[in-house]
């Protein structure tokens, strides 16, 4: 299933606000025009009603003469203005005239060649509207000059017909300017409004399995997002509680295992020395190790608080002494090769000792039951555990550090040992890696900060 790309809040707001502004401007302008039409303001002041109707109706016949094409607006104009008069002419001398030009305006008819646009009225001063008008205008018959009265009204259909032009030439540019302002203002507004959410996101990035009790801050978070942050905090609290229950269970289980394992080891030690006894002792040792590993898991959280100087040479020598009998019983030789008499790092002695012990036990379990197991310590702060077994394929060298991972189906797995080694090395700021051994087999290298 393909996940949808998350939408940008900024661009979503810009788009919606721009559309809303465009709609609001259209409604406002339409409302203003509607109110002016309803109250009669526009018809009272409008003086081009007759000329508009004539300009729409004028055309040419087959001979090129000017004629009027009858339409509903022209019919209505003739009905509303019984004494309709007009003169229409072009620059080629064609002329169309209807009605009787008022006597007061007849002198202007003779002067049309010398008049471009004019408002004519008998009253002194500016009349609204004037008695007559003269104007050149573009029509279906071309550019013509019209002289007529001004008694025609404003057609609602004509107003509606101009709406697209009004939208494109007036509303759309204004809406574009407002959208441009919104484009620059919205990111600033969004960034300020969601600054608290950014703090919560940064706090969420710090959440880790080793850091419990973390809660996302609510300071500055918008109240619309507060329920989400509160729900996340509640979920984190439930996870912390579940993790604590899990920790208590592992600790209790590990402690409960130690007593029967100790009893089992005591009884096995009392048996006669046979190969079967040796195998049972190895199995009991693995069971004891698993219990110790479960306890080590619970100690990880507290390690960094108790770091001190640790001598890696002395620590590794103690591990060799403790595990040599088990290695010999399993058919191995053991060697200890320190490059220096003393090599000190800061850390938790018990944790590092457990990590080295886990690597040696892993070599005993998976080294082929033959050859030599070598523990070396070298500067600046490196411990290596080498065996002469089959080694670890390069493709599996990361996965073997997963809990209970089996390199081969018939293996009993590494339990938690290698996983603990990796976690303990990370806790100490170092790392563990797997290489090819010098004599074949595997080389587990623990690298500590110098």
């Amino acid at each position: 299933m393909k996940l949808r790309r998350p939408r940008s809040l900024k661009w979503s707001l810009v788009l919606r606000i721009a559309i809303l502004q465009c709609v609001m401007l259209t409604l406002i302008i339409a409302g203003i025009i509607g109110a002016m039409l309803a109250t009669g303001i526009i018809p009272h002041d409008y003086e081009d009603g007759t000329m508009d109707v004539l300009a729409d109706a004028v055309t040419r016949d087959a001979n090129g003469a000017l004629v009027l094409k009858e339409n509903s607006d022209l019919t209505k104009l003739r009905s509303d203005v019984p004494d309709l008069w007009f003169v229409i002419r072009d620059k080629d001398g064609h002329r169309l005239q209807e009605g009787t030009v008022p006597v007061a305006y007849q002198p202007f008819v003779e002067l049309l060649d010398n008049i471009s646009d004019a408002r004519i009225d008998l009253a002194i001063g500016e009349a609204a509207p004037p008695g007559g008008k003269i104007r050149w205008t573009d029509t279906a018959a071309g550019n013509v000059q019209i002289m007529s009265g001004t008694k025609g009204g404003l057609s609602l259909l004509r107003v509606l017909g101009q709406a697209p032009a009004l939208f494109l030439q007036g509303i759309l540019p204004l809406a574009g300017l407002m959208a441009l302002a919104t484009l620059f203002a919205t990111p600033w507004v969004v960034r300020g409004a969601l600054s608290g959410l950014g703090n919560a996101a940064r706090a969420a990035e710090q959440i880790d399995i080793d850091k419990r009790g973390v809660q996302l801050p609510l300071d500055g978070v918008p109240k619309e997002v507060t329920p989400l942050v509160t729900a996340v905090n509640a979920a984190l609290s439930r996870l912390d509680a579940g993790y604590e229950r899990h920790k208590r269970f592992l600790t209790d289980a590990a402690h409960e295992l130690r007593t029967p394992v100790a009893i089992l080891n005591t009884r096995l030690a009392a048996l006669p020395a046979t190969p079967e006894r040796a195998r049972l002792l190895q199995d009991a040792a693995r069971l004891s190790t698993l219990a110790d590993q479960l306890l080590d898991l619970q100690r990880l959280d507290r390690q960094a608080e108790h770091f001190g100087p640790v001598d890696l040479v002395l620590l590794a020598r103690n591990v060799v002494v403790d595990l040599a009998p088990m290695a010999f019983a399993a058919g191995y030789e053991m060697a200890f090769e320190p490059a220096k008499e003393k090599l000190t790092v800061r850390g938790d002695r018990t944790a590092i000792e457990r990590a080295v012990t886990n690597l040696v036990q892993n070599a005993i379990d998976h080294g082929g039951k033959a050859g030599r197991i070598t523990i070396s310590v070298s500067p600046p702060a490196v411990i290596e555990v080498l065996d002469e077994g089959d080694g670890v394929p390069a493709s599996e060298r990361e996965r073997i550090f997963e809990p209970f991972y089996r390199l081969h189906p018939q293996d009993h797995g590494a339990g938690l040992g290698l996983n603990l080694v990796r976690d303990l090395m990370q806790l100490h700021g170092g790392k563990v890696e797997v290489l090819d051994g010098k004599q074949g087999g595997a080389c587990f290298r623990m690298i500590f900060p110098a």
Side-chain angles (χ1 to χ4, degrees):
M1 180 179 178
K2 186 177 180 180
L3 297 177
R4 294 180 59 187
R5 185 179 180 182
R7 293 185 302 172
S8 168
L9 177 61
K10 178 183 73 174
W11 292 112
S12 179
L13 287 175
V14 168
L15 178 62
R16 295 184 183 188
I17 292 175
I19 293 175
L20 179 62
Q21 289 172 342
C22 190
V23 172
M24 290 300 297
L25 281 173
T26 303
L27 292 177
I28 290 173
I29 293 177
I32 292 174
I33 294 176
M36 295 176 72
L37 288 171
T39 56
I41 296 177
I42 292 180
H44 177 74
D45 293 331
Y46 193 68
E47 54 192 45
D48 289 332
T50 301
M51 283 197 171
D52 290 340
V53 174
L54 295 174
D56 288 343
V58 68
T59 184
R60 294 184 186 273
D61 60 15
N63 298 321
L66 296 173
V67 296
L68 289 181
K69 182 179 179 181
E70 196 69 27
N71 56 38
S72 58
D73 287 341
L74 183 58
T75 301
K76 186 176 184 302
L77 178 63
R78 294 184 191 280
S79 174
D80 294 343
V81 186
D83 56 345
L84 176 66
W85 63 269
F86 59 84
V87 176
I88 303 175
R89 58 193 290 270
D90 62 13
K91 296 177 182 178
D92 297 327
H94 298 98
R95 187 184 184 99
L96 175 64
Q97 182 172 347
E98 183 178 321
T100 303
V101 179
V103 175
Y105 300 148
Q106 288 180 1
F108 295 96
V109 175
E110 304 302 327
L111 298 174
L112 288 178
D113 288 343
N114 306 108
I115 299 176
S116 176
D117 293 290
R119 301 171 77 252
I120 309 169
D121 199 81
L122 301 179
I124 298 177
E126 184 176 354
K133 288 197 70 175
I134 300 173
R135 160 180 108 184
W136 284 93
T137 187
D138 292 325
T139 67
N143 189 253
V144 298
Q145 187 182 42
I146 302 176
M147 176 180 179
S148 70
T150 59
K151 294 184 178 180
L154 177 64
S155 170
L156 180 60
L157 292 177
R158 181 177 299 278
V159 173
L160 296 177
Q162 296 299 318
L166 175 64
F167 179 80
L168 292 175
Q169 299 176 9
I171 298 176
L172 196 59
L174 184 58
L177 290 175
M178 296 178 68
L180 190 61
T182 302
L183 177 63
F184 287 101
T186 300
W188 175 73
V189 173
V190 171
R191 189 163 48 249
L194 300 183
S195 59
L197 194 58
N199 296 332
R202 285 188 289 274
E205 292 176 353
Q206 305 302 317
I207 295 176
D208 190 79
I209 187 66
D210 297 325
K211 298 178 181 178
R212 287 174 293 281
V214 177
Q215 295 283 284
L216 304 183
L218 287 170
D219 296 340
V221 175
K223 67 177 183 179
E224 292 83 2
V225 188
T226 297
L228 175 60
V229 178
T230 302
V232 171
N233 284 337
L236 291 173
S237 298
R238 292 193 296 271
L239 289 175
D240 288 342
Y243 186 83
E244 290 300 326
R245 288 195 299 269
H246 172 70
K247 279 181 57 180
R248 286 195 299 270
F249 170 79
L250 290 179
T251 303
D252 294 343
H255 280 296
E256 290 295 327
L257 279 174
R258 299 185 77 177
T259 300
V261 169
I263 295 173
L264 179 60
N265 282 325
T266 302
R267 292 178 178 176
L268 290 175
L271 294 177
T274 63
E276 183 66 22
R277 173 180 174 272
R279 287 193 295 271
L280 290 174
L281 282 173
Q282 289 181 11
D283 293 338
R286 280 197 294 268
L287 186 59
S288 177
T289 298
L290 179 60
D292 290 339
Q293 289 171 351
L294 290 173
L295 290 173
D296 287 340
L297 281 173
Q298 314 313 313
R299 300 180 67 245
L300 282 176
D301 295 339
R302 304 187 298 273
Q303 297 297 333
E305 302 174 3
H306 305 285
F307 280 2
V310 179
D311 183 358
L312 294 182
V313 175
L314 178 60
L315 182 148
R317 181 180 290 111
N318 292 337
V319 172
V320 171
V321 171
D322 290 340
L323 296 183
M326 182 185 297
F328 296 152
Y332 297 98
E333 298 178 7
M334 287 201 75
F336 179 54
E337 299 177 352
K340 297 178 65 175
E341 288 296 324
K342 186 175 183 180
L343 206 161
T344 305
V345 298
R346 284 194 59 80
D348 182 274
R349 187 192 63 80
T350 303
I352 299 175
E353 185 175 5
R354 171 59 61 189
V356 178
T357 299
N358 287 346
L359 291 183
V360 176
Q361 288 178 333
N362 181 74
I364 293 173
D365 291 337
H366 302 282
K369 305 300 180 183
R372 176 181 296 181
I373 296 176
T374 304
I375 297 90
S376 66
V377 183
S378 59
V382 178
I383 297 178
E384 291 183 347
V385 178
L386 300 90
D387 62 56
E388 298 178 0
D390 296 332
V392 181
S395 60
E396 303 289 335
R397 291 178 181 177
E398 288 296 325
R399 300 190 64 190
I400 61 172
F401 292 101
E402 298 175 5
F404 301 103
Y405 177 72
R406 295 176 183 267
L407 186 59
H408 303 291
Q410 67 272 19
D411 292 344
H412 51 70
L416 296 170
L418 296 183
N419 176 256
L420 276 171
V421 173
R422 182 184 63 183
D423 291 348
L424 288 169
M425 292 305 297
Q426 290 176 350
L427 184 68
H428 285 77
K431 64 179 181 178
V432 59
E433 58 187 15
V434 187
L435 308 172
D436 292 325
K438 299 176 181 177
Q439 304 296 327
C443 172
F444 284 81
R445 177 179 294 169
M446 302 169 61
I447 305 174
F448 294 86

